[in-house]
Amino acid sequence: MNILLIGSGGRENAFARQIAKSKLCSQLFIAPGNPGTIQYGENVAVNATDFEGIKQFVLENDVKMVVVGPEAPLVKGIFDYFKNDVEIAHIPVIGPSQKGALLEGSKAFSKAFMVRNNIPTAAYREFTADEMQTGLDYIQTQSLPIVLKADGLAAGKGVLICQSIEEAQQEFKNMLSGKFGSAGDKVVIEEFMSGIEFSVFVLSDGENYKILPVAKDYKRIGEKDTGLNTGGMGAVSPPSFVTESIMQKVEREVIIPTVKGLQKENISYKGIIYIGLMNTAGDTPKVVEYNCRMGDPEAQVVLPRIESDFVELLQHVADETLNQAELKISDEAAVTVILASGGYPEDFVKGYEITGAKDNGDTIIYHAGTKMQGVQLVTNGGRVLAVTTLDKDWLKALDASNKIAEKIQFQDKYYRRDIGFDLI
Ligand code: AMP
Ligand code: GLY
């Protein structure tokens, strides 16, 4: 069948590779894709949130399945757009409904969902501008640090961890006064959780689910987890500290109540639930956040470890028969190291020539922020490439990725040389 994949990042490059391997995929299109996805299918010049353009393309090219990578089209309601249009309602969209995407699109919604469904998470309260004074008083009663979250999508910048009451009160006022635009119309004030973070990915057909490989991503720009937050500078799957007993807790206390809660609340969810967890007190996992999609760069370590036919799995999601699917995971570990443009996550220059970005043995080069300038590959984003290696020994995978990361050249290249440092 013909499949349309939506998105253009490293995550979509990882999806493209997995989909193109499937015996069920005759032709893969990627809208809009990137220079890395070209080796797996045909890039088409349609924007990820241009639903009308996507509909036309799907009809003209006999597309039988749409796989959605990024959150923006999901939060904008691409699933419902297809469902509500008789011409395309029969084409499955792999991704949640607009209501389901609120798990990521609204922090207030996701916190209330967790409370309703008894899912362990940090204590919180939410406030609007009308409740400014109540919120300021509430902050006064909290212990430090205090976590503030803009309710809506804020390009990964909407979470602040404040070290003093004064800072928290000031930032709270800034948020409610439009620092993050309408994303901050509501602000969640949350208890700080200490521990180590990991990411769990659940493929759900709305009733049944499969747990994909666990990963840990490295969000800070600087080595030893210092400096500004980024989209993610590297990832490891599986992270050794996530034991079977922790995963049993996650399944019992988080995954099952999440899938059942969505079903009970009539929220259609046929896609990936990304559960960001904090392992508190050594063995007590609590939810930090949900996302309505696969992680990036977690996709670049999770997806290549899936040995089952990936499109077959997605077809089971569409048909609501995931209970009949077999999920086979490789016993090899995967490590990815992100090559970023110097300056990222703040200002950086684009358009530098890239050399040496070729798959090599067990190392896969996923493209994130690249483009072709004539015949030359150049940098085109903050996160440029993801260098993933698979090996039974994750330290060997790490070493191989680091070596290739060193070899690939572009001006102002930056990468963290300490991915996995806390797992050794
Ligand atoms: P979020 O967008 O909710 O995932 O938050 C971004 C990052 O902020 C998370 O990955 C955590 O590192 C941190 N964070 C968010 N909420 C909390 C919390 N309640 N306690 C500690 N750290 C948090
Ligand atoms: N790596 C974090 C995310 O995809 O949100």
Side-chain angles (χ1 to χ4, degrees), residues 217 219 231 274 291 293 295-298:
D217 99 295
K219 288 203 172 89
Y274 168 146
N291 291 311
R293 49 159 175 95
D296 186 345
E298 292 98 323

Side-chain angles (χ1 to χ4, degrees), residues 4 48 90 125 127 166 191 194 202 278 283 287 339 353:
L4 176 66
H90 60 286
R125 275 185 62 181
F127 300 92
E166 296 69 33
E191 166 203 9
S194 48
V202 180
M278 185 77 77
D283 65 351
V287 178
L339 302 189
E353 288 187 8

